[in-house]
Amino acid sequence: MSAYQQKWLDILQGANLPGWDVKAVSEGIYVEMPHVTDLKLIRDILPETLAALSLDIDVPKSRLKFYFHNGYESFDYILNPNDKDLNEE
């Protein structure tokens, strides 16, 4: 696991979001949300939310894939899509 992936895990797990299960997967971070979560709303605000949260990350950034799921629907989001995936080095 990269330091960047670990920092994101720490931030998301430390956010104390009730019903959210955040864990590392080999390609990124998997986020399981309660089934009542509106994934369209999450998808719409995600870029701004991640940008605000990333201000506290002091390790080199890299490509990181997030997997969001609410029990019915899912979507993926790639953070820093143009950066090299540390798993490719």
Coordinates of all heavy atoms in Angstrom, one line a residue:
M1 N 0.9 -1.2 0.0 CA 0.0 0.0 0.0 C 0.9 1.2 0.0 O 1.9 1.3 0.7 CB -0.9 0.0 1.2 CG -1.8 1.2 1.4 SD -2.8 1.3 2.9 CE -3.4 -0.3 3.0
S2 N 0.5 2.2 -0.8 CA 1.3 3.4 -0.9 C 1.0 4.3 0.3 O -0.1 4.2 0.9 CB 1.0 4.2 -2.2 OG -0.3 4.8 -2.2
A3 N 1.9 5.2 0.6 CA 1.7 6.2 1.7 C 0.5 7.1 1.3 O -0.3 7.5 2.2 CB 2.9 7.1 1.8
Y4 N 0.3 7.4 0.0 CA -0.9 8.2 -0.4 C -2.2 7.5 -0.1 O -3.1 8.0 0.4 CB -0.7 8.5 -1.9 CG -1.7 9.5 -2.4 CD1 -1.6 10.8 -2.0 CD2 -2.6 9.2 -3.4 CE1 -2.5 11.8 -2.5 CE2 -3.5 10.1 -3.9 CZ -3.4 11.4 -3.4 OH -4.3 12.4 -3.9
Q5 N -2.2 6.2 -0.5 CA -3.4 5.4 -0.2 C -3.7 5.3 1.3 O -4.8 5.5 1.7 CB -3.3 4.0 -0.8 CG -4.5 3.1 -0.7 CD -4.2 1.7 -1.2 OE1 -3.1 1.3 -1.5 NE2 -5.3 1.0 -1.5
Q6 N -2.6 5.1 2.1 CA -2.8 5.0 3.5 C -3.3 6.4 4.1 O -4.2 6.3 5.0 CB -1.5 4.7 4.2 CG -1.6 4.5 5.7 CD -2.5 3.4 6.1 OE1 -2.4 2.3 5.7 NE2 -3.5 3.7 6.9
K7 N -2.8 7.5 3.6 CA -3.3 8.8 4.1 C -4.8 8.9 3.8 O -5.6 9.4 4.7 CB -2.6 9.9 3.4 CG -1.2 10.2 4.0 CD -1.4 10.7 5.4 CE -0.3 11.7 5.7 NZ -0.4 12.3 7.0
W8 N -5.3 8.5 2.6 CA -6.7 8.6 2.3 C -7.5 7.7 3.2 O -8.6 8.1 3.6 CB -6.9 8.3 0.8 CG -6.8 9.5 0.0 CD1 -5.8 9.8 -0.9 CD2 -7.7 10.7 0.0 NE1 -6.0 11.1 -1.4 CE2 -7.1 11.6 -0.9 CE3 -8.8 11.0 0.7 CZ2 -7.7 12.9 -1.2 CZ3 -9.4 12.2 0.4 CH2 -8.9 13.1 -0.5
L9 N -7.0 6.5 3.4 CA -7.7 5.6 4.4 C -7.8 6.2 5.7 O -8.9 6.2 6.3 CB -6.9 4.3 4.5 CG -7.2 3.2 3.5 CD1 -6.3 2.0 3.7 CD2 -8.7 2.8 3.5
D10 N -6.8 6.8 6.2 CA -6.8 7.5 7.5 C -7.8 8.6 7.6 O -8.6 8.7 8.5 CB -5.4 8.0 7.9 CG -4.4 6.9 8.1 OD1 -4.7 5.7 8.2 OD2 -3.2 7.3 8.1
I11 N -7.9 9.4 6.5 CA -8.8 10.5 6.5 C -10.2 10.0 6.4 O -11.1 10.5 7.2 CB -8.5 11.4 5.2 CG1 -7.2 12.2 5.5 CG2 -9.7 12.4 5.0 CD1 -6.7 12.9 4.2
L12 N -10.5 9.1 5.6 CA -11.9 8.6 5.4 C -12.4 7.8 6.6 O -13.5 7.9 7.0 CB -12.1 7.8 4.1 CG -11.8 8.6 2.8 CD1 -11.8 7.7 1.6 CD2 -12.9 9.7 2.7
Q13 N -11.5 7.0 7.1 CA -11.9 6.2 8.3 C -12.0 7.1 9.5 O -12.8 6.8 10.4 CB -10.9 5.1 8.6 CG -11.0 4.0 7.5 CD -9.9 2.9 7.6 OE1 -8.8 3.1 8.2 NE2 -10.1 1.8 7.0
G14 N -11.2 8.1 9.6 CA -11.3 9.1 10.7 C -12.4 10.1 10.6 O -12.7 10.8 11.6
A15 N -13.1 10.1 9.5 CA -14.2 11.0 9.3 C -15.5 10.6 10.2 O -16.4 11.4 10.3 CB -14.6 11.1 7.9
N16 N -15.5 9.4 10.7 CA -16.5 8.9 11.5 C -17.9 9.0 10.8 O -18.8 9.6 11.4 CB -16.5 9.6 12.9 CG -17.3 8.8 13.9 OD1 -17.5 7.6 13.8 ND2 -17.7 9.5 15.0
L17 N -18.0 8.5 9.6 CA -19.2 8.5 8.9 C -20.1 7.3 9.2 O -19.7 6.2 8.8 CB -18.9 8.6 7.4 CG -18.1 9.8 6.9 CD1 -17.5 9.6 5.5 CD2 -19.0 11.0 7.0
P18 N -21.2 7.5 9.9 CA -22.0 6.3 10.3 C -22.4 5.4 9.2 O -23.0 5.9 8.2 CB -23.2 6.9 11.0 CG -22.8 8.3 11.4 CD -21.8 8.7 10.3
G19 N -22.2 4.1 9.3 CA -22.6 3.2 8.3 C -21.7 3.1 7.1 O -22.0 2.3 6.2
W20 N -20.6 3.8 7.0 CA -19.7 3.7 5.9 C -18.6 2.8 6.3 O -18.0 2.8 7.4 CB -19.1 5.1 5.6 CG -20.0 6.1 5.0 CD1 -21.3 6.3 5.3 CD2 -19.7 7.0 3.9 NE1 -21.8 7.3 4.5 CE2 -20.8 7.7 3.6 CE3 -18.5 7.2 3.2 CZ2 -20.9 8.7 2.6 CZ3 -18.6 8.1 2.2 CH2 -19.7 8.9 1.9
D21 N -18.3 1.9 5.4 CA -17.2 0.9 5.6 C -16.1 1.3 4.6 O -16.4 1.2 3.4 CB -17.7 -0.5 5.4 CG -16.6 -1.5 5.6 OD1 -15.6 -1.2 6.3 OD2 -16.7 -2.6 5.0
V22 N -15.0 1.7 5.0 CA -13.9 2.2 4.1 C -12.7 1.2 4.3 O -12.2 1.0 5.5 CB -13.4 3.6 4.5 CG1 -12.3 4.0 3.6 CG2 -14.6 4.6 4.4
K23 N -12.3 0.6 3.2 CA -11.1 -0.3 3.3 C -10.3 -0.3 2.1 O -10.7 0.1 1.0 CB -11.6 -1.7 3.6 CG -12.5 -2.3 2.5 CD -13.1 -3.6 3.0 CE -14.2 -4.0 2.1 NZ -15.0 -5.2 2.6
A24 N -9.0 -0.7 2.3 CA -8.1 -0.7 1.2 C -8.3 -2.0 0.3 O -8.7 -3.0 0.8 CB -6.7 -0.8 1.7
V25 N -8.2 -1.8 -1.0 CA -8.2 -2.9 -1.9 C -6.9 -2.7 -2.7 O -6.4 -1.6 -2.7 CB -9.5 -2.9 -2.8 CG1 -10.7 -3.3 -2.0 CG2 -9.7 -1.6 -3.6
S26 N -6.5 -3.7 -3.4 CA -5.2 -3.6 -4.1 C -5.1 -2.4 -5.0 O -4.0 -1.8 -5.2 CB -4.9 -4.9 -4.8 OG -5.8 -5.2 -5.8
E27 N -6.2 -2.1 -5.7 CA -6.1 -1.0 -6.7 C -6.6 0.3 -6.1 O -6.6 1.3 -6.9 CB -7.1 -1.3 -7.9 CG -7.1 -2.7 -8.4 CD -7.9 -3.7 -7.6 OE1 -9.0 -3.4 -7.2 OE2 -7.4 -4.8 -7.3
G28 N -6.9 0.4 -4.9 CA -7.4 1.7 -4.4 C -8.1 1.6 -3.0 O -7.7 0.9 -2.1
I29 N -9.3 2.2 -3.0 CA -10.1 2.3 -1.7 C -11.5 2.0 -2.1 O -12.1 2.6 -3.0 CB -9.9 3.7 -1.1 CG1 -8.5 3.9 -0.7 CG2 -10.9 3.8 0.1 CD1 -8.2 5.3 -0.1
Y30 N -12.1 1.1 -1.3 CA -13.5 0.7 -1.5 C -14.3 1.3 -0.4 O -13.9 1.3 0.8 CB -13.6 -0.9 -1.4 CG -15.0 -1.4 -1.5 CD1 -15.6 -1.5 -2.7 CD2 -15.7 -1.7 -0.4 CE1 -16.9 -2.0 -2.9 CE2 -17.0 -2.2 -0.5 CZ -17.6 -2.3 -1.7 OH -18.9 -2.8 -1.8
V31 N -15.4 2.0 -0.7 CA -16.3 2.6 0.2 C -17.7 2.1 0.1 O -18.3 2.3 -1.0 CB -16.3 4.2 0.0 CG1 -17.2 4.8 1.0 CG2 -14.9 4.7 0.0
E32 N -18.1 1.4 1.1 CA -19.5 0.8 1.1 C -20.3 1.8 2.0 O -20.0 2.1 3.1 CB -19.5 -0.6 1.7 CG -20.9 -1.2 1.8 CD -21.5 -1.6 0.5 OE1 -20.7 -2.0 -0.4 OE2 -22.7 -1.5 0.3
M33 N -21.4 2.3 1.4 CA -22.2 3.3 2.1 C -23.6 2.7 2.4 O -24.0 1.7 1.8 CB -22.4 4.6 1.3 CG -21.1 5.3 1.0 SD -21.3 6.6 -0.2 CE -21.3 5.6 -1.7
P34 N -24.3 3.2 3.3 CA -25.7 2.7 3.6 C -26.5 2.7 2.3 O -26.3 3.6 1.4 CB -26.3 3.7 4.6 CG -25.1 4.3 5.3 CD -24.0 4.3 4.2
H35 N -27.5 1.8 2.2 CA -28.2 1.6 1.0 C -29.1 2.9 0.7 O -29.5 3.0 -0.5 CB -29.1 0.4 1.0 CG -30.2 0.4 2.0 ND1 -30.1 0.2 3.3 CD2 -31.5 0.7 1.8 CE1 -31.3 0.3 3.9 NE2 -32.1 0.7 3.0
V36 N -29.3 3.7 1.6 CA -30.2 4.9 1.4 C -29.3 6.1 0.8 O -29.9 7.1 0.5 CB -30.9 5.3 2.6 CG1 -31.9 4.3 3.1 CG2 -29.9 5.7 3.8
T37 N -28.0 5.9 0.7 CA -27.2 7.0 0.2 C -27.4 7.3 -1.3 O -27.5 6.4 -2.1 CB -25.7 6.6 0.4 OG1 -25.5 6.2 1.8 CG2 -24.8 7.7 0.0
D38 N -27.6 8.5 -1.6 CA -27.8 9.0 -3.0 C -26.5 9.0 -3.7 O -25.7 10.0 -3.5 CB -28.5 10.3 -2.9 CG -28.9 10.9 -4.3 OD1 -28.4 10.3 -5.3 OD2 -29.6 11.9 -4.4
L39 N -26.2 8.0 -4.5 CA -24.9 8.0 -5.2 C -24.8 9.1 -6.2 O -23.7 9.6 -6.5 CB -24.7 6.7 -5.9 CG -24.3 5.5 -5.0 CD1 -23.9 4.3 -5.9 CD2 -23.1 5.9 -4.1
K40 N -25.9 9.6 -6.8 CA -25.8 10.7 -7.7 C -25.2 12.0 -7.0 O -24.4 12.7 -7.5 CB -27.1 11.0 -8.4 CG -27.0 12.2 -9.4 CD -28.3 12.5 -10.1 CE -28.3 13.6 -11.0 NZ -27.3 14.7 -10.9
L41 N -25.8 12.2 -5.8 CA -25.3 13.4 -5.0 C -23.8 13.2 -4.7 O -23.0 14.1 -4.8 CB -26.1 13.5 -3.8 CG -25.7 14.6 -2.8 CD1 -25.8 16.0 -3.5 CD2 -26.5 14.5 -1.5
I42 N -23.4 12.0 -4.2 CA -22.0 11.7 -3.9 C -21.2 12.0 -5.1 O -20.1 12.7 -5.0 CB -21.9 10.3 -3.4 CG1 -22.6 10.1 -2.1 CG2 -20.4 10.0 -3.2 CD1 -22.2 10.8 -0.9
R43 N -21.5 11.5 -6.3 CA -20.8 11.6 -7.5 C -20.6 13.1 -7.9 O -19.6 13.6 -8.3 CB -21.4 10.8 -8.6 CG -20.6 10.7 -9.9 CD -21.1 9.8 -11.0 NE -22.6 9.6 -10.9 CZ -23.2 8.4 -10.6 NH1 -22.4 7.4 -10.3 NH2 -24.5 8.3 -10.6
D44 N -21.7 13.9 -7.7 CA -21.7 15.3 -8.1 C -20.8 16.1 -7.2 O -20.2 17.1 -7.7 CB -23.1 15.9 -8.0 CG -24.0 15.3 -9.1 OD1 -23.5 14.7 -10.1 OD2 -25.3 15.6 -9.0
I45 N -20.7 15.8 -5.9 CA -19.9 16.6 -5.0 C -18.5 16.1 -4.7 O -17.7 16.7 -4.1 CB -20.6 16.9 -3.7 CG1 -20.8 15.6 -2.9 CG2 -22.0 17.6 -3.9 CD1 -21.3 15.8 -1.5
L46 N -18.2 14.9 -5.2 CA -17.0 14.2 -4.9 C -15.7 15.0 -5.3 O -14.8 15.1 -4.4 CB -17.0 12.8 -5.6 CG -15.9 11.9 -5.1 CD1 -16.0 11.6 -3.6 CD2 -16.0 10.6 -5.9
P47 N -15.6 15.5 -6.5 CA -14.4 16.2 -6.8 C -14.0 17.4 -5.8 O -12.9 17.5 -5.4 CB -14.6 16.8 -8.2 CG -15.6 15.8 -8.8 CD -16.5 15.5 -7.6
E48 N -15.0 18.2 -5.5 CA -14.8 19.3 -4.6 C -14.5 18.8 -3.2 O -13.7 19.3 -2.4 CB -16.0 20.2 -4.5 CG -16.2 20.9 -5.8 CD -17.1 20.1 -6.8 OE1 -17.6 19.1 -6.5 OE2 -17.1 20.5 -8.0
T49 N -15.2 17.7 -2.7 CA -15.0 17.2 -1.4 C -13.6 16.6 -1.3 O -12.9 16.8 -0.3 CB -16.1 16.1 -1.1 OG1 -17.4 16.7 -1.2 CG2 -15.9 15.5 0.3
L50 N -13.2 15.8 -2.2 CA -11.8 15.2 -2.2 C -10.8 16.3 -2.3 O -9.7 16.2 -1.6 CB -11.6 14.2 -3.3 CG -12.5 12.9 -3.2 CD1 -12.2 12.0 -4.4 CD2 -12.2 12.2 -1.9
A51 N -11.0 17.3 -3.0 CA -10.0 18.4 -3.1 C -9.8 19.1 -1.8 O -8.7 19.4 -1.3 CB -10.5 19.4 -4.2
A52 N -10.9 19.3 -1.1 CA -10.9 19.9 0.2 C -10.2 19.0 1.2 O -9.3 19.5 2.0 CB -12.3 20.3 0.7
L53 N -10.5 17.8 1.2 CA -9.9 16.8 2.1 C -8.4 16.6 1.8 O -7.6 16.3 2.8 CB -10.6 15.5 2.1 CG -12.0 15.4 2.6 CD1 -12.6 14.1 2.3 CD2 -12.0 15.7 4.1
S54 N -8.0 16.8 0.6 CA -6.6 16.5 0.2 C -5.6 17.6 0.7 O -4.4 17.4 0.7 CB -6.5 16.3 -1.3 OG -6.6 17.6 -1.9
L55 N -6.1 18.7 1.2 CA -5.3 19.7 1.7 C -4.4 19.3 2.8 O -3.3 19.8 3.0 CB -6.1 21.0 2.1 CG -6.9 21.6 0.9 CD1 -7.7 22.7 1.5 CD2 -5.9 22.1 -0.1
D56 N -4.8 18.3 3.6 CA -4.0 17.8 4.7 C -3.1 16.7 4.4 O -2.4 16.1 5.2 CB -5.0 17.3 5.8 CG -5.7 18.5 6.5 OD1 -5.2 19.6 6.4 OD2 -6.8 18.2 7.0
I57 N -3.0 16.3 3.1 CA -2.2 15.2 2.7 C -0.8 15.7 2.3 O -0.7 16.6 1.4 CB -2.8 14.4 1.5 CG1 -4.1 13.7 2.0 CG2 -1.8 13.3 1.0 CD1 -4.8 12.9 1.0
D58 N 0.2 15.3 3.0 CA 1.6 15.8 2.8 C 2.6 14.8 2.2 O 3.8 14.9 2.4 CB 2.1 16.4 4.1 CG 2.1 15.3 5.2 OD1 1.6 14.2 5.0 OD2 2.6 15.6 6.3
V59 N 2.0 13.8 1.5 CA 2.9 12.8 0.9 C 2.7 13.0 -0.6 O 1.7 13.5 -1.1 CB 2.6 11.4 1.3 CG1 2.8 11.2 2.8 CG2 1.1 11.0 1.0
P60 N 3.6 12.5 -1.5 CA 3.5 12.7 -2.9 C 2.2 12.0 -3.4 O 1.9 10.9 -3.0 CB 4.7 12.0 -3.5 CG 5.7 12.0 -2.4 CD 4.9 11.9 -1.1
K61 N 1.5 12.7 -4.3 CA 0.2 12.1 -4.8 C 0.5 11.1 -5.9 O 1.6 11.2 -6.5 CB -0.7 13.3 -5.3 CG -0.2 14.0 -6.5 CD -1.2 15.1 -6.9 CE -0.6 15.7 -8.2 NZ -1.5 16.7 -8.7
S62 N -0.5 10.3 -6.1 CA -0.4 9.3 -7.2 C -1.8 9.0 -7.6 O -2.8 9.4 -7.0 CB 0.4 8.0 -6.7 OG -0.4 7.4 -5.7
R63 N -1.9 8.2 -8.7 CA -3.2 7.8 -9.2 C -3.8 6.9 -8.1 O -3.2 6.0 -7.6 CB -3.0 7.0 -10.5 CG -4.2 6.5 -11.1 CD -3.8 5.7 -12.4 NE -4.9 5.0 -12.9 CZ -5.6 5.4 -13.9 NH1 -5.4 6.5 -14.5 NH2 -6.6 4.7 -14.4
L64 N -5.1 7.1 -7.8 CA -5.8 6.3 -6.8 C -7.2 6.1 -7.2 O -7.9 7.1 -7.5 CB -5.7 7.0 -5.4 CG -6.3 6.2 -4.3 CD1 -5.5 4.9 -4.0 CD2 -6.2 7.1 -3.0
K65 N -7.7 4.9 -7.2 CA -9.1 4.6 -7.6 C -9.9 4.4 -6.4 O -9.6 3.6 -5.5 CB -9.1 3.4 -8.5 CG -10.4 3.1 -9.2 CD -10.3 2.1 -10.3 CE -11.5 2.0 -11.1 NZ -11.4 1.0 -12.2
F66 N -11.1 5.0 -6.4 CA -12.1 4.9 -5.3 C -13.3 4.1 -5.9 O -13.7 4.4 -7.0 CB -12.6 6.2 -4.9 CG -11.6 7.0 -4.1 CD1 -10.7 7.8 -4.7 CD2 -11.6 7.0 -2.7 CE1 -9.7 8.6 -4.0 CE2 -10.7 7.7 -2.0 CZ -9.7 8.5 -2.7
Y67 N -13.8 3.2 -5.2 CA -14.9 2.4 -5.5 C -16.0 2.7 -4.5 O -15.9 2.4 -3.3 CB -14.6 0.9 -5.5 CG -13.5 0.5 -6.3 CD1 -12.2 0.5 -5.8 CD2 -13.7 0.1 -7.7 CE1 -11.1 0.1 -6.6 CE2 -12.6 -0.3 -8.4 CZ -11.3 -0.3 -7.9 OH -10.3 -0.7 -8.7
F68 N -17.1 3.2 -5.0 CA -18.3 3.6 -4.1 C -19.4 2.7 -4.4 O -19.8 2.4 -5.6 CB -18.7 5.1 -4.4 CG -17.6 6.0 -3.9 CD1 -16.7 6.5 -4.8 CD2 -17.6 6.5 -2.6 CE1 -15.7 7.4 -4.5 CE2 -16.6 7.4 -2.2 CZ -15.7 7.9 -3.1
H69 N -20.1 2.2 -3.3 CA -21.2 1.3 -3.5 C -22.2 1.5 -2.4 O -21.8 1.8 -1.2 CB -20.6 -0.2 -3.4 CG -21.7 -1.2 -3.7 ND1 -22.3 -2.0 -2.8 CD2 -22.1 -1.6 -4.9 CE1 -23.1 -2.8 -3.4 NE2 -23.1 -2.6 -4.7
N70 N -23.5 1.4 -2.7 CA -24.5 1.6 -1.7 C -25.4 0.4 -1.5 O -26.5 0.5 -1.0 CB -25.3 2.9 -2.0 CG -26.3 2.7 -3.1 OD1 -26.2 1.7 -3.9 ND2 -27.1 3.8 -3.4
G71 N -25.0 -0.7 -2.0 CA -25.8 -1.9 -1.9 C -26.6 -2.2 -3.1 O -27.0 -3.3 -3.4
Y72 N -26.9 -1.1 -3.9 CA -27.7 -1.3 -5.1 C -26.9 -0.8 -6.3 O -27.0 -1.4 -7.4 CB -29.0 -0.4 -5.0 CG -29.9 -0.8 -3.9 CD1 -30.1 0.0 -2.8 CD2 -30.5 -2.1 -3.9 CE1 -30.9 -0.3 -1.8 CE2 -31.3 -2.4 -2.8 CZ -31.5 -1.5 -1.8 OH -32.3 -1.9 -0.7
E73 N -26.2 0.3 -6.2 CA -25.5 0.9 -7.3 C -24.0 1.1 -6.9 O -23.7 1.1 -5.7 CB -26.1 2.3 -7.7 CG -27.6 2.2 -8.0 CD -28.1 3.7 -8.2 OE1 -28.2 4.4 -7.2 OE2 -28.3 4.0 -9.4
S74 N -23.2 1.3 -7.9 CA -21.8 1.6 -7.6 C -21.3 2.5 -8.7 O -21.8 2.7 -9.8 CB -21.0 0.3 -7.5 OG -21.0 -0.3 -8.8
F75 N -20.2 3.2 -8.4 CA -19.4 3.9 -9.4 C -18.0 4.0 -8.9 O -17.7 3.8 -7.7 CB -20.0 5.3 -9.7 CG -19.7 6.4 -8.6 CD1 -18.6 7.2 -8.6 CD2 -20.6 6.5 -7.5 CE1 -18.4 8.2 -7.7 CE2 -20.4 7.4 -6.5 CZ -19.3 8.3 -6.6
D76 N -17.1 4.2 -9.9 CA -15.6 4.4 -9.6 C -15.2 5.8 -9.9 O -15.8 6.5 -10.7 CB -14.8 3.5 -10.5 CG -15.2 2.0 -10.4 OD1 -15.8 1.6 -9.4 OD2 -14.8 1.3 -11.3
Y77 N -14.2 6.2 -9.2 CA -13.7 7.6 -9.4 C -12.2 7.5 -9.3 O -11.6 6.9 -8.3 CB -14.2 8.6 -8.3 CG -13.7 10.0 -8.5 CD1 -14.4 10.8 -9.4 CD2 -12.6 10.5 -7.8 CE1 -13.9 12.1 -9.6 CE2 -12.2 11.7 -8.0 CZ -12.8 12.6 -8.9 OH -12.4 13.8 -9.1
I78 N -11.5 8.0 -10.3 CA -10.0 8.0 -10.2 C -9.5 9.4 -9.9 O -9.8 10.4 -10.6 CB -9.5 7.6 -11.6 CG1 -9.9 6.1 -11.9 CG2 -7.9 7.6 -11.6 CD1 -9.5 5.6 -13.3
L79 N -8.8 9.4 -8.8 CA -8.1 10.7 -8.3 C -6.7 10.7 -9.0 O -6.0 9.7 -9.0 CB -8.0 10.6 -6.8 CG -7.6 11.9 -6.1 CD1 -8.5 13.1 -6.4 CD2 -7.5 11.7 -4.6
N80 N -6.4 11.9 -9.5 CA -5.1 12.1 -10.1 C -4.9 11.1 -11.3 O -3.9 10.4 -11.4 CB -3.9 11.9 -9.2 CG -4.1 12.8 -7.9 OD1 -4.4 13.9 -8.0 ND2 -3.9 12.2 -6.8
P81 N -5.8 11.1 -12.3 CA -5.8 10.2 -13.4 C -4.6 10.2 -14.2 O -4.2 9.2 -14.9 CB -7.1 10.5 -14.2 CG -7.4 11.9 -13.8 CD -6.9 12.1 -12.4
N82 N -3.9 11.4 -14.3 CA -2.8 11.5 -15.2 C -1.4 11.2 -14.5 O -0.4 11.1 -15.1 CB -2.7 12.9 -15.7 CG -3.9 13.2 -16.6 OD1 -4.3 12.4 -17.3 ND2 -4.4 14.4 -16.5
D83 N -1.5 10.9 -13.2 CA -0.3 10.5 -12.4 C -0.1 9.0 -12.6 O -1.0 8.3 -12.8 CB -0.4 10.9 -10.9 CG -0.3 12.4 -10.7 OD1 0.0 13.1 -11.6 OD2 -0.6 12.8 -9.6
K84 N 1.2 8.7 -12.4 CA 1.5 7.3 -12.5 C 1.0 6.5 -11.3 O 1.0 7.0 -10.1 CB 3.1 7.1 -12.5 CG 3.5 5.7 -12.7 CD 5.0 5.7 -13.0 CE 5.4 4.3 -13.4 NZ 6.8 4.3 -13.8
D85 N 0.5 5.3 -11.6 CA 0.0 4.4 -10.5 C 1.3 3.8 -9.8 O 2.1 3.3 -10.5 CB -0.8 3.3 -11.1 CG -1.4 2.3 -10.1 OD1 -1.0 2.4 -8.9 OD2 -2.3 1.6 -10.5
L86 N 1.4 4.0 -8.5 CA 2.6 3.5 -7.8 C 2.7 2.0 -8.0 O 3.8 1.4 -7.8 CB 2.5 3.9 -6.4 CG 2.7 5.4 -6.1 CD1 2.6 5.7 -4.6 CD2 3.9 5.9 -6.7
N87 N 1.6 1.3 -8.3 CA 1.7 -0.2 -8.4 C 2.4 -0.5 -9.8 O 2.8 -1.7 -10.0 CB 0.3 -0.8 -8.4 CG -0.3 -0.7 -7.0 OD1 0.4 -0.8 -6.0 ND2 -1.6 -0.6 -7.0
E88 N 2.5 0.4 -10.7 CA 3.1 0.2 -12.0 C 4.6 0.4 -12.0 O 5.3 0.1 -12.9 CB 2.5 1.2 -13.0 CG 1.1 0.9 -13.3 CD 0.5 2.0 -14.2 OE1 1.2 2.9 -14.6 OE2 -0.7 1.9 -14.5
E89 N 5.2 0.9 -10.9 CA 6.6 1.2 -10.8 C 7.4 -0.1 -10.7 O 7.0 -1.1 -10.2 CB 7.0 2.1 -9.7 CG 6.4 3.5 -9.9 CD 6.7 4.4 -8.8 OE1 7.1 4.0 -7.7 OE2 6.5 5.6 -9.0

